[in-house]
Amino acid sequence: MNSAAAVQPEKRSAVGKLWTWITIAATAAVVLIVLVELVNVLFYDPYGDEHFLFTLSGSLANVGIGALTFLMFGSLALLLMMGLPMAFVVGGLGVVFIYLVGGQTMVNIIPTRIFPLMTNPDLAAIPLFIFMASMLERAGLIEEMFDVVYRWMGGLNGGLAAATILASTILAAMVGVIGAAVVTMGIIALPAMLKRNYDQKIALGSIMAGGTLGILIPPSILAILYAVVAQQSVGQLYLGSILPGLMLSGMYIAYVLLRTRLNPSLGPALPPEERVGWADKLRLLKNLIAPIILVFLVLGLLFGGIATPVEAAGIGSFGAIVVAAMHKRFSLKALRDASITTARASAMVLWIIFGASIFVGFFILQGGQDFITESILGTGLHAYGILFLMMVLLVFLGMFLDWVGILLLTVPIFVPIIKSLTFDGLFGLPGVSSNDEILWFGVLYLVNMQMSFLSPPFGYALFYLRGVCPPEISMATIFKSALIFLAIQAVGLLLCILIPGIITWLPNLAFG
């Protein structure tokens, strides 16, 4: 037995050495190819036939769009599954395939894809809203806001979970950033619920579901990106997402309160000695004055047409600094930390935007848009069947990719298809006018992306919360806690499809 046991480590060691040598050989081959192609680019005429040793330029020129689609998206999926960062993979692959298909001369299209994005003023709102979120987080506003809502609702069964969702809804209307809401609520609300013997699934699920509302409720950063890519009004998209966001928030709260009413042991109410009277509750509301004013200031200026998204975001950022100073939390260190966080997050988002624009732009240029459109329309499905197919695909992608990448890979392809379809309504319910289709689909996309944050195995909210959970809570428990709220989100998405007025009523009321 000892000799057999000794053989196993030797076999594992041999396999490890083999993989090491394979990795070294593959790396050396890639470096050689890059060096040879670099010589070709620098020293040889791109319009001539001469080259150094060999060249891969234009080697895929005669490949059909079907095979090219498989190669491009297959290699993208493979590299992402290997754990490489999407911010660099998608753009790098775009450049590689441009070179392999069109050679050196086609690489000139890269600046034409990036420059319009660099000059798009709406994108400037993204770092401003991220800075606003970072500064408010350091101002301690989130803790104070949760404390107010917690004191008001703690006397109900499930009140702490409902307070978490309500506080997250207010927070979503303040910052529009997902990670800050989930992590902060995980730090503040989770210990309070676990201390009072709340069911772990309700506690975890309420934090994740409430925290992801920031992707839907204005001022959502994803909505800004969708508006830029789909050529949609940011103001209309913000108005269209208000009712679906509030509807989902209400559905989460209703589920928690109903479930804990039927089984009070899942979410015990605060004991009488910890509750506060009406006089104290009203006194606590003064802590909500600053965030409420900030929300109405930013969104009011935006919806009223007084300020553009960038101007509203700038005012919100300045307001966040003022609020931090009012709470005596402003310092140069807080300003520096918020600025560094903003720079890192903005750089990640913008690199993905640039890379995906190159990748998808080249794919569309090669006829990919027509190929996918014909493939989807060729299925013979009804318009709503095609929409359902898109929603399922987005949910699947949400299990593995981040929200920025999904938007930039799918929306440029899906939006023209949606424009070509007619949605007359289901089950005798009203349909969607052609003028509202892109707005309607945009909000459906936002609701779907909220689902992606909760979708196992790689939903971002699952791992945000894992980082602040006590060690005794397993990843399996976090996965299970997300499922019921995913089902609620699916019901909300279905309601928005069946009753499009939930999305279109406010924009039509405001803009006609």
Side-chain angles (χ1 to χ4, degrees):
M1 292 182 61
N2 290 337
S3 60
V7 170
Q8 294 300 323
E10 290 180 3
K11 287 183 177 179
R12 286 195 293 268
S13 177
V15 172
K17 289 180 180 179
L18 177 61
W19 277 112
T20 300
W21 281 109
I22 290 175
T23 304
I24 292 173
T27 304
V30 171
V31 170
L32 175 62
I33 291 171
V34 170
L35 290 176
V36 170
E37 294 295 351
L38 190 60
V39 171
N40 286 322
V41 170
L42 294 176
F43 301 107
Y44 286 84
D45 182 6
Y47 297 98
D49 295 328
E50 294 183 358
H51 54 262
F52 174 66
L53 296 182
F54 61 84
T55 183
L56 298 179
S57 174
S59 57
L60 297 182
N62 297 321
V63 173
I65 186 60
L68 187 62
T69 301
F70 175 79
L71 287 173
M72 290 183 68
F73 288 94
S75 57
L76 176 63
L78 179 63
L79 292 177
L80 291 176
M81 286 190 291
M82 290 172 62
L84 298 176
M86 184 170 186
F88 304 110
V89 165
V90 67
L93 276 179
V95 174
V96 168
F97 277 101
I98 289 173
Y99 187 77
L100 293 178
V101 172
Q104 299 178 38
T105 54
M106 189 177 280
V107 176
N108 294 325
I109 72 170
I110 294 175
T112 66
R113 297 296 307 171
I114 294 178
F115 188 74
L117 293 171
M118 295 174 66
T119 56
N120 191 306
D122 288 338
L123 289 180
I126 293 175
L128 290 171
F129 277 128
I130 294 175
F131 176 83
M132 179 178 163
S134 301
M135 185 54 68
L136 289 175
E137 185 179 0
R138 284 159 179 79
L141 258 183
I142 300 174
E143 292 92 331
E144 291 185 3
M145 182 177 57
F146 175 73
D147 184 63
V148 173
V149 182
Y150 153 78
R151 297 289 181 184
W152 270 78
M153 304 187 69
L156 300 172
N157 288 320
L160 292 186
T164 299
I165 297 169
L166 183 57
S168 297
T169 306
I170 299 173
L171 180 61
M174 290 167 54
V175 297
V177 178
I178 301 297
V182 175
V183 171
T184 306
M185 284 300 170
I187 294 172
I188 299 169
L190 184 58
M193 286 188 276
L194 295 180
K195 179 182 176 182
R196 289 163 178 81
N197 298 317
Y198 266 61
D199 176 71
Q200 289 185 353
K201 295 185 182 66
I202 288 180
L204 297 169
S206 61
I207 291 171
M208 291 188 292
T212 56
L213 287 169
I215 207 167
L216 180 60
I217 295 177
S220 164
I221 289 174
L222 181 58
I224 297 174
L225 285 179
Y226 177 89
V228 169
V229 174
Q231 300 297 304
Q232 174 71 40
S233 164
V234 177
Q236 286 188 351
L237 198 60
Y238 274 173
L239 278 174
S241 61
I242 289 177
L243 289 182
L246 295 178
M247 178 186 71
L248 282 171
S249 176
M251 292 169 69
Y252 300 151
I253 293 174
Y255 164 75
V256 167
L257 294 179
L258 179 61
R259 183 90 189 277
T260 52
R261 182 177 179 84
L262 296 175
N263 188 353
S265 64
L266 297 177
L270 286 178
E273 62 271 16
E274 292 188 32
R275 303 176 192 176
V276 295
W278 281 102
D280 291 326
K281 286 182 178 180
L282 293 174
R283 198 177 302 114
L284 284 169
L285 288 178
K286 72 179 189 300
N287 294 330
L288 286 181
I289 292 176
I292 295 299
I293 290 177
L294 190 60
V295 168
F296 278 97
L297 179 64
V298 173
L299 297 184
L301 290 173
L302 187 60
F303 294 149
I306 301 171
T308 65
V310 179
E311 292 166 345
I315 293 170
S317 297
F318 179 73
I321 294 176
V322 172
V323 169
M326 289 171 57
H327 286 72
K328 298 179 180 178
R329 300 285 185 90
F330 179 76
S331 65
L332 290 179
K333 182 179 184 302
L335 181 62
R336 183 194 67 188
D337 292 344
S339 300
I340 291 174
T341 300
T342 301
R344 287 174 176 169
S346 301
M348 182 273 293
V349 171
L350 291 174
W351 269 112
I352 294 177
I353 291 173
F354 293 153
S357 177
I358 293 169
F359 186 90
V360 176
F362 169 70
F363 179 68
I364 292 175
L365 185 65
Q366 292 301 113
Q369 172 68 65
D370 295 334
F371 172 74
I372 292 182
T373 301
E374 291 170 5
S375 299
I376 292 178
L377 297 180
T379 60
L381 292 173
H382 187 269
Y384 285 95
I386 292 174
L387 178 66
F388 176 77
L389 184 63
M390 291 180 178
M391 293 294 110
V392 171
L393 180 59
L394 289 173
V395 170
F396 176 75
L397 291 175
M399 296 179 183
F400 304 100
L401 301 181
D402 64 84
W403 50 276
V404 182
I406 297 172
L407 182 145
L408 293 162
L409 291 174
T410 59
V411 169
I413 297 173
F414 285 175
V415 165
I417 298 175
I418 292 295
K419 286 181 178 178
S420 67
L421 299 174
T422 301
F423 297 91
D424 295 324
L426 291 172
F427 311 116
L429 295 170
V432 187
S433 71
S434 58
N435 294 330
D436 292 332
E437 283 181 350
I438 305 306
L439 168 67
W440 176 64
F441 178 76
V443 178
L444 293 181
Y445 172 83
L446 295 178
V447 176
N448 196 302
M449 285 301 97
Q450 193 197 4
M451 295 175 65
S452 77
F453 272 81
L454 291 183
S455 301
F458 298 118
Y460 274 49
L462 306 172
F463 292 95
Y464 288 149
L465 191 56
R466 169 71 270 182
V468 296
C469 272
E472 62 269 17
I473 295 180
S474 67
M475 200 69 209
T477 302
I478 296 177
F479 282 179
K480 292 176 183 176
S481 65
L483 296 179
I484 183 63
F485 289 92
L486 268 173
I488 294 173
Q489 288 173 338
V491 172
L493 179 63
L494 181 61
L495 288 175
C496 289
I497 292 174
L498 294 177
I499 311 173
I502 297 173
I503 294 171
T504 59
W505 179 70
L506 266 181
N508 288 335
L509 186 66
F511 297 103

